[in-house]
Amino acid sequence: MSVFGSGSTALAREPWFRQHPAAALVVAGMLFASVWVVRLIDGDAVDASMLLFTLPVALIAVAFGLRAGVAAGALAVLMVVTWVLATGTDLGPVGWIARCLPELLLGFLLGDASDRLRRAEAERRKLESGALLYREAIEINDSLVQGMAAARWALEAGRPDDGLKTLETTIVQAQDLVSDLIRQAGMGTSIHPD
C-alpha cells in the first residue's frame, strides 16, 4: 500500500464536475445561455424562469468554490439587469430581490460549503497519511529493535558470528524498509550503498 494513496482512486471519487472542470464550465455556460434565451423569448416579468439561473450558479459554486460561486451569482444578476434594460420591464423592489438575492446567496453558500468540503477532504487525507506513516514507523522500529536485540543476545551469549549475521540482516532490512518509504514518497532514490 502506498503512503500517499493512488492518484487515480482519489480522482475516481471526485464528482464529474471536479474531474472535468472545463466540461462543468461548458455545461454552466449552456445553462446560462438557455435561461437567457428563454427569458428573452418570454419577456413576461411574472414568469419565474429567471430562477433557473440557480442551476448554473449552483454548478459553478460546487465545482469551483466560493469566489467562482459568487462570480456566477453576480453574472446571473448582471443578466437580470441586462434583461430588464433590454425589455424595458419594470421590476419593483421585491422583484429585484426575488431575482437577484437567491443567485448571490446560492453562489456564496454553496461555494463556501464546497471550499469547506475540499479542506475537510484534504485534512482527512493528511490524517490518513499520517496514520499510515505512524504504523510504518512502528513496524520499522519493531523490526530494527528486535533484530538488534537478537544480535546483542547472540554477542552476549558468546556467538559473535550469529550476532554479526543478525546485525547485518537487520541493517539490510532497515535499508530496504527506508528505501521502500522513499520510493512511496516519490523520491525515486535508494539508500543502498553501491
Side-chain angles (χ1 to χ4, degrees):
M1 177 184 282
S2 171
V3 173
F4 298 102
S6 169
S8 62
T9 57
L11 186 62
R13 288 186 273 171
E14 290 289 326
W16 72 270
F17 47 82
R18 290 219 181 114
Q19 289 182 28
H20 309 286
L25 285 175
V26 168
V27 169
M30 290 171 42
L31 288 168
F32 270 122
S34 299
V35 174
W36 178 249
V37 168
V38 167
R39 190 71 256 180
L40 286 178
I41 292 172
D42 180 22
D44 186 8
V46 177
D47 189 5
S49 61
M50 284 219 169
L51 289 177
L52 292 174
F53 279 135
T54 57
L55 299 174
V57 170
L59 176 59
I60 289 174
V62 170
F64 300 102
L66 177 63
R67 288 183 184 170
V70 171
L75 176 61
V77 169
L78 179 64
M79 293 177 92
V80 170
V81 170
T82 305
W83 170 76
V84 167
L85 294 175
T87 61
T89 304
D90 184 29
L91 293 179
V94 173
W96 281 105
I97 291 171
R99 284 166 179 80
C100 298
L101 185 62
E103 309 304 336
L104 293 171
L105 195 57
L106 183 68
F108 176 81
L109 293 175
L110 276 180
D112 182 55
S114 179
D115 285 348
R116 289 173 187 257
L117 280 172
R118 279 193 188 111
R119 287 191 298 270
E121 179 63 18
E123 183 65 22
R124 184 191 63 78
R125 280 190 227 133
K126 181 180 172 185
L127 290 172
E128 282 180 354
S129 178
L132 182 59
L133 287 172
Y134 178 78
R135 286 191 303 271
E136 289 177 346
I138 295 290
E139 179 184 328
I140 289 170
N141 182 62
D142 288 350
S143 297
L144 298 180
V145 169
Q146 289 173 4
M148 288 186 284
R152 179 180 176 193
W153 290 330
L155 291 171
E156 288 175 349
R159 299 187 334 249
D161 291 339
D162 290 341
L164 288 175
K165 183 177 176 184
T166 303
L167 190 56
E168 287 173 8
T169 301
T170 303
I171 290 171
V172 168
Q173 184 181 22
Q175 288 174 331
D176 289 343
L177 289 169
V178 173
S179 290
D180 187 44
L181 288 176
I182 290 171
R183 270 191 305 282
Q184 288 179 20
M187 301 301 166
T189 57
S190 174
I191 63 164
H192 284 288
D194 293 333

